[in-house]
Amino acid sequence: MKVLSKVKKMLIGIGAFFISIHSKVLAEVDLSTMELSPMYGVKRPETEQQSNELWNSYGLLGVLLILLVGLIVYFKKSKSSIKKKVLIAILAIAIAILVYFLIKS
């Protein structure tokens, strides 16, 4: 009798879930573009162009600033010769600029 009661409760729960599932949908699908759009609330602003403009204007400056901080820490902590430090610094800057221009294009 206990098993029958548990099965009955489980079936009632599953039935209630499927009956109420349609009221829990929070977005609709545009079948032509397969995009979700919210049915209510604030729609998301278009940020793709803003982020591209931000990266184009400040990307190289940010990368070089981070590289500069890393090189300063490297110069302070490394125990190798000055010649080797300068060579590694020039190589790191060249690689950073090359990677930046590869990503940008």
Side-chain angles (χ1 to χ4, degrees), residues 6 13 20 26 31-32 37 43 46-47 52 58 61 66 81 83 86 104:
K6 288 184 179 183
S20 66
L26 303 175
L31 294 176
S32 62
S37 60
K43 297 192 185 247
E46 297 293 327
T47 59
N52 284 341
Y58 296 113
L61 181 66
I66 292 170
S81 67
K83 188 176 185 179
V86 170
K104 188 177 175 183

Side-chain angles (χ1 to χ4, degrees), residues 36-51:
L36 291 175
S37 60
M39 292 176 70
Y40 61 90
V42 179
K43 297 192 185 247
R44 290 187 205 155
E46 297 293 327
T47 59
E48 185 176 328
Q49 186 172 356
Q50 293 171 352
S51 64

